Amino acid sequence: MKKADIVIIGGGAAGMSAAVSAYKNGTKDILILERSESLGGVLHQCIHNGFGLHRFGEDLTGVEFARKYEDMVEELGIPYMLRTFVIDLSPERVITAVSPEEGLIKIQARAVILAMGCRERSRNALLIPGTRGAGILTAGTAQRYLNIDGYLPGKKIVILGSGDIGLIMARQFVMEGASVEAVVEILPYSSGLPRNMKQCIEDFDIPVYYNSTVSQIFGRERVSSVVISEVDERRKPIPEKSFEVECDTLLISAGLLPETELAEQAGIELSPSTKGAVVTEDNQTSVPGIFSCGNVLHVHDMVDFVSEEGKRTGLYASDFVRKGEPTKASSDMIEVVRGNGVGGTVPHRISRGLSGEVTLMFRPTARYSDSRIVIRDGETVLQSRKCVALTPGEMCSVSIDAGSVRTAGSEITVEIREAAE
């Protein structure tokens, strides 16, 4: 059995940032496990810019952003294994993996950082009725086909969902000479970043149908058309408010889900709101010595924030290895409760008796204007910040003074209120 102080599962932005941070904090015995053929993860298929403005002060493509971290890993000499697929993780931090070069391997780690990222919701997850011809694929798959494999997967496109990858692909399809017939969103607003709606959809005059869904798919060998239907208050299609659109490709961009299979194997508690692991302020999960960061913890809107979270988690894991921190009892935890308008917070719990700032991150559940983010301990307001506009497409981040939380409190609440309240 191999041994390592820190094993990082996933070599994308979060994993590489965590490795570099832990190494610079004094932990040299680090191993990154990555299932792809190179470090960088999904960033290698992101040829558009908009990356790195917060982290590096530069406007980079995803490829360039990944290269900066790959160079750091190489310069520090941090070991990594590519084409290595982790198949099991035990609560004792024993990792079982397979690779073409090593075969079946086991690694005992003193600390593990989960950084596997997320996956897209597929057609099967959405239960769309109709035929199953070619031409139905997720936005990320289409992005790989076009930017990595070098071929256009369709000529007449309908996009279901307004996630950021789908919006970016809409623009790229038009620039490649294809026609985007429609973007169909079941919500009354876009689930992507406002800038992507402006730059990728509005600037290219692509039709958008809100409060709508694809209710039927036609085409035996390949998609030939889809039916777009308005939905009622229960989000069920309204037959009399439907129309058919010819297309040869249905692109699904209906949200992302954290890759939680390994967390489940290790018995880690999962959050029903964020869908990732439940963590404390140091991004440690309910299993001591196993940490989580990036999109496997909660789906971010910007890779800059993914790398920043990875950086912090690398420090936490390195400190854990050095200090051997004791297990925290549940009585030592303060629950972070989501109130009105809050989709789910990270961290989910805060250790009692902390000093200094703790940053809470969350997504709003709807659009809000002229509102206020309020964090309260019972009726005592710990933080109140006015916001001109809030949208589910953008992550919110608010810091509190952990020392201001009263000792007897068992929970604090994060909520969105009208500005006048």
Side-chain angles (χ1 to χ4, degrees), residues 83-150:
R83 296 192 297 168
T84 302
F85 197 95
V86 177
I87 58 175
D88 187 65
L89 172 64
S90 76
E92 294 76 31
R93 303 189 292 278
V94 175
I95 297 161
T96 305
V98 292
S99 77
E101 292 78 18
E102 298 279 346
L104 183 70
I105 57 174
K106 285 184 177 290
I107 309 167
Q108 175 67 68
R110 295 177 65 190
V112 175
I113 299 177
L114 304 178
M116 298 88 69
C118 56
R119 65 175 182 271
E120 298 176 278
R121 282 191 174 91
S122 65
R123 174 204 175 157
N124 290 339
L126 300 177
L127 301 175
I128 306 171
T131 56
R132 295 181 177 271
I136 305 172
L137 63 163
T138 63
T141 301
Q143 188 181 53
R144 180 176 180 84
Y145 284 163
L146 189 55
N147 297 340
I148 301 293
D149 300 329

Side-chain angles (χ1 to χ4, degrees), residues 339-358:
N340 177 67
V342 174
T345 63
V346 170
H348 307 81
R349 294 171 185 147
I350 299 173
S351 300
R352 196 180 300 277
L354 283 180
S355 60
E357 281 194 348
V358 173

